[in-house]
Amino acid sequence: MFSFFRRKKTAGPDPLASPSTVAADIAAPVQEMPEPCVELAPHAAPGALLALQTQASGEPAASVQPRAGWLGKLTSGLRKTSSSIATVFTGAQIDEALYENLEAALLQADAGMAATQFLLDDLKRRVKAARAAEPQAVRALLAEAIADLLAPLQKTLVVGQYRPTIIMVEGVNGAGKTTSIGKLTRHLANAGATVLLAAADTFRAAAREQLAVWADRNQVEVISQQGADPAAVAFDAVAAGRARGRDVVLIDTAGRLPTQKNLMDELAKIGRVITRADATAPHETLLVIDGNTGQNALAQVKTFDAATPLSGLIVTKLDGTAKGGVLCAIAREKPVPVYFIGVGEKLEDLQTFNAREFAQALV
């Protein structure tokens, strides 16, 4: 959930004399909105932060129920892997053949060789320590091993230490970057944060239009300028966010492949220009990865991190053929925190990442 406390407003620069084209706030309310997965915390105090956290046990039933439904979707989305792993433990003996079959299942789930070997070694130690004698007990220990491996990826996204908090969002074409920005915008807005969007994907008209639709739905402004330099739009957005007292500026960068050196260089340029607009920014650099891309997702994390150091990931499309094991590979080889995972197109289908929940769904 979110806990939102607004910081004291700090003095900003004068409003821009000629800002980029801005879509005005939409007065009409959005219809048929689902229950938000965020809440406005009571007793707000100056200087406190907006933190995105996984809902904990002991919360009111009304807030736990939506996540319970989402967990069902996650379990269903990862059923291909969980079924494969379950087969390994069906009627099996705890011997080398079991571990060999489990190794094959983990590799098929996109866990990669490094993470697979680590998990097998860890599992054998756990089985010995627990003196496990039943295959299903070993399966439970595997879930614990995966949860512990993924635990470093579970981290809270904090907004409010800087105002505005500048969040740069990256990803390849088709990963769900702009849609994830739209969902995140709504969650932030529902928590009480004011958000400004920046359409730095300036050469693809559909990208600007898609972001404008999300701005319309979320009743927020969007900085957009057709044909302009993406870095210039990002610079304008940071300046506008400061001038208008926004809590968050979300910058949608153009989709690009890691192999497109010129576009990756452009991405690095956007980061440098944002730093010129605000010496402390970008405060968060998020990469959106498609959960269906397997080990290629790990390659994307490494390449994008080299261009603009990443602070977090959003993993999308874990609702169909995605195997899910790549998060184990990321945890072992490039442990960038996973802030959100998505299992569908609805707003509530984007939720905070919980290592233990994911491990249970995977196994």
Side-chain angles (χ1 to χ4, degrees):
M1 66 176 181
F2 284 95
S3 297
F4 181 73
F5 301 91
R6 189 181 300 278
R7 295 175 61 86
K8 289 183 177 179
K9 186 174 181 180
T10 55
D14 292 333
L16 297 176
S18 300
S20 301
T21 304
V22 176
D25 288 345
I26 306 300
V30 178
Q31 300 297 319
E32 300 179 357
M33 280 304 302
E35 290 295 323
C37 70
V38 299
E39 64 180 21
L40 189 64
H43 312 302
L49 307 177
L50 168 66
L52 183 65
Q53 302 170 339
T54 302
Q55 291 177 333
S57 59
E59 292 188 2
S63 64
V64 174
Q65 185 175 1
R67 188 166 182 92
W70 177 82
L71 287 175
K73 291 184 179 181
L74 176 62
T75 301
S76 178
L78 296 177
R79 191 171 302 281
K80 183 174 183 179
T81 293
S82 62
S83 297
S84 177
I85 292 177
T87 301
V88 173
F89 295 99
T90 302
Q93 300 294 323
I94 304 176
D95 53 18
E96 282 304 312
L98 181 145
Y99 290 115
E100 289 177 4
N101 291 334
L102 181 57
E103 178 181 21
L106 290 172
L107 289 173
Q108 290 173 5
D110 295 327
M113 183 56 72
T116 295
Q117 191 59 55
F118 176 84
L119 286 171
L120 289 175
D121 292 342
D122 188 21
L123 179 60
K124 290 177 181 178
R125 286 192 294 268
R126 292 172 187 262
V127 169
K128 183 177 180 180
R131 297 182 179 179
E134 297 294 332
Q136 292 308 313
V138 179
R139 184 180 175 185
L141 290 173
L142 174 63
E144 292 180 7
I146 293 176
D148 288 346
L149 174 62
L150 297 178
L153 302 186
Q154 183 178 323
K155 185 180 178 182
T156 298
L157 174 63
V158 176
V159 171
Q161 183 177 357
Y162 303 95
R163 191 162 185 260
T165 297
I166 312 301
I167 302 178
M168 187 173 170
V169 186
E170 307 168 353
V172 303
N173 290 319
K177 173 172 54 66
T178 304
T179 300
S180 295
I181 289 174
K183 293 177 181 178
L184 179 56
T185 298
R186 177 48 61 90
H187 290 321
L188 289 166
N190 284 346
T194 56
V195 181
L196 179 68
L197 301 180
D201 190 349
T202 59
F203 297 104
R204 187 169 68 92
R208 297 191 302 276
E209 293 170 357
Q210 185 181 8
L211 196 64
V213 169
W214 279 107
D216 185 7
R217 292 176 180 174
N218 292 320
Q219 303 182 50
V220 300
E221 294 175 313
V222 55
I223 301 295
S224 176
Q225 188 173 353
Q226 184 175 1
D229 182 78
V233 174
F235 184 93
D236 283 355
V238 174
R242 294 175 62 187
R244 301 170 193 180
R246 298 295 185 264
D247 296 307
V248 181
V249 176
L250 279 170
I251 300 174
D252 182 8
T253 61
R256 63 201 75 216
L257 294 174
T259 54
Q260 296 172 313
K261 185 179 184 303
N262 60 324
L263 292 182
M264 295 301 289
D265 289 344
E266 179 187 77
L267 195 62
K269 176 185 175 183
I270 294 173
R272 292 194 301 271
V273 170
I274 290 173
T275 303
R276 292 173 191 166
D278 184 334
T280 65
H283 307 114
E284 295 282 350
T285 302
L286 308 183
L287 176 66
V288 179
I289 56 176
D290 184 339
N292 291 287
T293 56
Q295 284 289 297
N296 187 42
L298 175 61
Q300 290 176 26
V301 172
K302 292 179 178 179
T303 306
F304 276 89
D305 184 68
T308 53
L310 301 173
S311 61
L313 305 176
I314 300 176
V315 184
T316 64
K317 305 182 182 180
L318 294 171
D319 55 346
T321 59
K323 299 177 182 178
V326 69
L327 265 67
C328 296
I330 290 171
R332 188 62 184 161
E333 300 184 47
K334 193 66 177 178
V336 177
V338 178
Y339 286 137
F340 310 96
I341 55 177
V343 295
E345 295 298 322
K346 297 180 180 179
L347 171 66
E348 63 269 25
D349 291 339
L350 182 71
Q351 293 281 348
T352 50
F353 172 72
N354 180 283
R356 190 158 299 278
E357 291 175 350
F358 191 87
Q360 291 293 337
L362 194 66
V363 173

PDB file of all heavy atoms in Angstrom, residues 249-264:
ATOM      1  N   VAL A 249       7.274  13.712 -11.136  1.00  0.00           N
ATOM      2  CA  VAL A 249       7.337  13.868 -12.585  1.00  0.00           C
ATOM      3  C   VAL A 249       7.737  12.519 -13.157  1.00  0.00           C
ATOM      4  O   VAL A 249       8.819  11.999 -12.856  1.00  0.00           O
ATOM      5  CB  VAL A 249       8.350  14.940 -13.018  1.00  0.00           C
ATOM      6  CG1 VAL A 249       8.455  14.982 -14.544  1.00  0.00           C
ATOM      7  CG2 VAL A 249       7.953  16.308 -12.485  1.00  0.00           C
ATOM      8  N   LEU A 250       6.850  11.927 -13.960  1.00  0.00           N
ATOM      9  CA  LEU A 250       7.105  10.638 -14.603  1.00  0.00           C
ATOM     10  C   LEU A 250       7.472  10.877 -16.064  1.00  0.00           C
ATOM     11  O   LEU A 250       6.686  11.438 -16.818  1.00  0.00           O
ATOM     12  CB  LEU A 250       5.865   9.745 -14.524  1.00  0.00           C
ATOM     13  CG  LEU A 250       5.622   8.993 -13.214  1.00  0.00           C
ATOM     14  CD1 LEU A 250       4.233   8.352 -13.233  1.00  0.00           C
ATOM     15  CD2 LEU A 250       6.677   7.938 -12.989  1.00  0.00           C
ATOM     16  N   ILE A 251       8.654  10.451 -16.471  1.00  0.00           N
ATOM     17  CA  ILE A 251       9.153  10.705 -17.814  1.00  0.00           C
ATOM     18  C   ILE A 251       9.124   9.423 -18.632  1.00  0.00           C
ATOM     19  O   ILE A 251       9.819   8.451 -18.320  1.00  0.00           O
ATOM     20  CB  ILE A 251      10.579  11.278 -17.770  1.00  0.00           C
ATOM     21  CG1 ILE A 251      10.586  12.594 -16.981  1.00  0.00           C
ATOM     22  CG2 ILE A 251      11.124  11.496 -19.170  1.00  0.00           C
ATOM     23  CD1 ILE A 251      11.966  13.174 -16.751  1.00  0.00           C
ATOM     24  N   ASP A 252       8.305   9.417 -19.674  1.00  0.00           N
ATOM     25  CA  ASP A 252       8.181   8.271 -20.580  1.00  0.00           C
ATOM     26  C   ASP A 252       9.203   8.434 -21.700  1.00  0.00           C
ATOM     27  O   ASP A 252       9.075   9.310 -22.550  1.00  0.00           O
ATOM     28  CB  ASP A 252       6.758   8.217 -21.146  1.00  0.00           C
ATOM     29  CG  ASP A 252       6.536   7.027 -22.065  1.00  0.00           C
ATOM     30  OD1 ASP A 252       7.429   6.163 -22.143  1.00  0.00           O
ATOM     31  OD2 ASP A 252       5.470   6.965 -22.707  1.00  0.00           O
ATOM     32  N   THR A 253      10.230   7.593 -21.697  1.00  0.00           N
ATOM     33  CA  THR A 253      11.256   7.657 -22.744  1.00  0.00           C
ATOM     34  C   THR A 253      10.843   6.763 -23.905  1.00  0.00           C
ATOM     35  O   THR A 253      10.012   5.883 -23.761  1.00  0.00           O
ATOM     36  CB  THR A 253      12.615   7.193 -22.205  1.00  0.00           C
ATOM     37  OG1 THR A 253      12.499   5.836 -21.770  1.00  0.00           O
ATOM     38  CG2 THR A 253      13.051   8.047 -21.035  1.00  0.00           C
ATOM     39  N   ALA A 254      11.425   6.969 -25.043  1.00  0.00           N
ATOM     40  CA  ALA A 254      11.083   6.177 -26.228  1.00  0.00           C
ATOM     41  C   ALA A 254      11.505   4.731 -26.053  1.00  0.00           C
ATOM     42  O   ALA A 254      12.550   4.440 -25.485  1.00  0.00           O
ATOM     43  CB  ALA A 254      11.756   6.775 -27.464  1.00  0.00           C
ATOM     44  N   GLY A 255      10.669   3.818 -26.540  1.00  0.00           N
ATOM     45  CA  GLY A 255      11.030   2.414 -26.536  1.00  0.00           C
ATOM     46  C   GLY A 255      12.237   2.191 -27.447  1.00  0.00           C
ATOM     47  O   GLY A 255      12.341   2.795 -28.511  1.00  0.00           O
ATOM     48  N   ARG A 256      13.130   1.306 -27.037  1.00  0.00           N
ATOM     49  CA  ARG A 256      14.353   1.073 -27.830  1.00  0.00           C
ATOM     50  C   ARG A 256      14.913  -0.307 -27.483  1.00  0.00           C
ATOM     51  O   ARG A 256      14.707  -0.812 -26.372  1.00  0.00           O
ATOM     52  CB  ARG A 256      15.384   2.147 -27.551  1.00  0.00           C
ATOM     53  CG  ARG A 256      15.885   2.180 -26.110  1.00  0.00           C
ATOM     54  CD  ARG A 256      16.490   3.521 -25.761  1.00  0.00           C
ATOM     55  NE  ARG A 256      15.433   4.510 -25.583  1.00  0.00           N
ATOM     56  CZ  ARG A 256      15.536   5.781 -25.948  1.00  0.00           C
ATOM     57  NH1 ARG A 256      16.632   6.223 -26.533  1.00  0.00           N
ATOM     58  NH2 ARG A 256      14.547   6.632 -25.748  1.00  0.00           N
ATOM     59  N   LEU A 257      15.622  -0.873 -28.424  1.00  0.00           N
ATOM     60  CA  LEU A 257      16.291  -2.146 -28.180  1.00  0.00           C
ATOM     61  C   LEU A 257      17.681  -1.885 -27.607  1.00  0.00           C
ATOM     62  O   LEU A 257      18.325  -0.888 -27.972  1.00  0.00           O
ATOM     63  CB  LEU A 257      16.415  -2.946 -29.475  1.00  0.00           C
ATOM     64  CG  LEU A 257      15.106  -3.421 -30.108  1.00  0.00           C
ATOM     65  CD1 LEU A 257      15.389  -4.065 -31.465  1.00  0.00           C
ATOM     66  CD2 LEU A 257      14.395  -4.397 -29.191  1.00  0.00           C
ATOM     67  N   PRO A 258      18.165  -2.761 -26.733  1.00  0.00           N
ATOM     68  CA  PRO A 258      19.507  -2.567 -26.169  1.00  0.00           C
ATOM     69  C   PRO A 258      20.596  -2.542 -27.219  1.00  0.00           C
ATOM     70  O   PRO A 258      21.680  -2.003 -26.982  1.00  0.00           O
ATOM     71  CB  PRO A 258      19.655  -3.782 -25.233  1.00  0.00           C
ATOM     72  CG  PRO A 258      18.272  -4.214 -24.926  1.00  0.00           C
ATOM     73  CD  PRO A 258      17.487  -3.924 -26.168  1.00  0.00           C
ATOM     74  N   THR A 259      20.329  -3.129 -28.401  1.00  0.00           N
ATOM     75  CA  THR A 259      21.340  -3.177 -29.457  1.00  0.00           C
ATOM     76  C   THR A 259      21.394  -1.898 -30.290  1.00  0.00           C
ATOM     77  O   THR A 259      22.297  -1.738 -31.115  1.00  0.00           O
ATOM     78  CB  THR A 259      21.051  -4.354 -30.402  1.00  0.00           C
ATOM     79  OG1 THR A 259      19.698  -4.255 -30.884  1.00  0.00           O
ATOM     80  CG2 THR A 259      21.216  -5.686 -29.669  1.00  0.00           C
ATOM     81  N   GLN A 260      20.443  -0.990 -30.101  1.00  0.00           N
ATOM     82  CA  GLN A 260      20.405   0.262 -30.861  1.00  0.00           C
ATOM     83  C   GLN A 260      21.277   1.303 -30.150  1.00  0.00           C
ATOM     84  O   GLN A 260      20.806   2.056 -29.304  1.00  0.00           O
ATOM     85  CB  GLN A 260      18.969   0.757 -30.994  1.00  0.00           C
ATOM     86  CG  GLN A 260      18.083  -0.193 -31.793  1.00  0.00           C
ATOM     87  CD  GLN A 260      16.618   0.201 -31.751  1.00  0.00           C
ATOM     88  OE1 GLN A 260      16.082   0.487 -30.687  1.00  0.00           O
ATOM     89  NE2 GLN A 260      15.964   0.226 -32.905  1.00  0.00           N
ATOM     90  N   LYS A 261      22.561   1.317 -30.509  1.00  0.00           N
ATOM     91  CA  LYS A 261      23.522   2.144 -29.777  1.00  0.00           C
ATOM     92  C   LYS A 261      23.149   3.616 -29.793  1.00  0.00           C
ATOM     93  O   LYS A 261      23.267   4.308 -28.776  1.00  0.00           O
ATOM     94  CB  LYS A 261      24.927   1.956 -30.354  1.00  0.00           C
ATOM     95  CG  LYS A 261      26.001   2.693 -29.558  1.00  0.00           C
ATOM     96  CD  LYS A 261      27.375   2.471 -30.131  1.00  0.00           C
ATOM     97  CE  LYS A 261      28.431   3.135 -29.248  1.00  0.00           C
ATOM     98  NZ  LYS A 261      28.220   4.572 -29.046  1.00  0.00           N
ATOM     99  N   ASN A 262      22.679   4.105 -30.946  1.00  0.00           N
ATOM    100  CA  ASN A 262      22.358   5.530 -31.013  1.00  0.00           C
ATOM    101  C   ASN A 262      21.209   5.888 -30.073  1.00  0.00           C
ATOM    102  O   ASN A 262      21.220   6.937 -29.427  1.00  0.00           O
ATOM    103  CB  ASN A 262      22.013   5.929 -32.453  1.00  0.00           C
ATOM    104  CG  ASN A 262      20.820   5.154 -33.000  1.00  0.00           C
ATOM    105  OD1 ASN A 262      20.652   3.976 -32.703  1.00  0.00           O
ATOM    106  ND2 ASN A 262      20.007   5.796 -33.822  1.00  0.00           N
ATOM    107  N   LEU A 263      20.232   4.996 -29.975  1.00  0.00           N
ATOM    108  CA  LEU A 263      19.104   5.271 -29.082  1.00  0.00           C
ATOM    109  C   LEU A 263      19.490   5.076 -27.620  1.00  0.00           C
ATOM    110  O   LEU A 263      18.974   5.775 -26.743  1.00  0.00           O
ATOM    111  CB  LEU A 263      17.922   4.376 -29.443  1.00  0.00           C
ATOM    112  CG  LEU A 263      17.258   4.660 -30.790  1.00  0.00           C
ATOM    113  CD1 LEU A 263      16.071   3.727 -31.016  1.00  0.00           C
ATOM    114  CD2 LEU A 263      16.797   6.116 -30.872  1.00  0.00           C
ATOM    115  N   MET A 264      20.376   4.143 -27.342  1.00  0.00           N
ATOM    116  CA  MET A 264      20.857   3.978 -25.967  1.00  0.00           C
ATOM    117  C   MET A 264      21.690   5.186 -25.555  1.00  0.00           C
ATOM    118  O   MET A 264      21.623   5.639 -24.406  1.00  0.00           O
ATOM    119  CB  MET A 264      21.671   2.689 -25.837  1.00  0.00           C
ATOM    120  CG  MET A 264      20.859   1.414 -26.061  1.00  0.00           C
ATOM    121  SD  MET A 264      19.475   1.220 -24.914  1.00  0.00           S
ATOM    122  CE  MET A 264      20.336   0.875 -23.391  1.00  0.00           C
TER     123      MET A 264
END
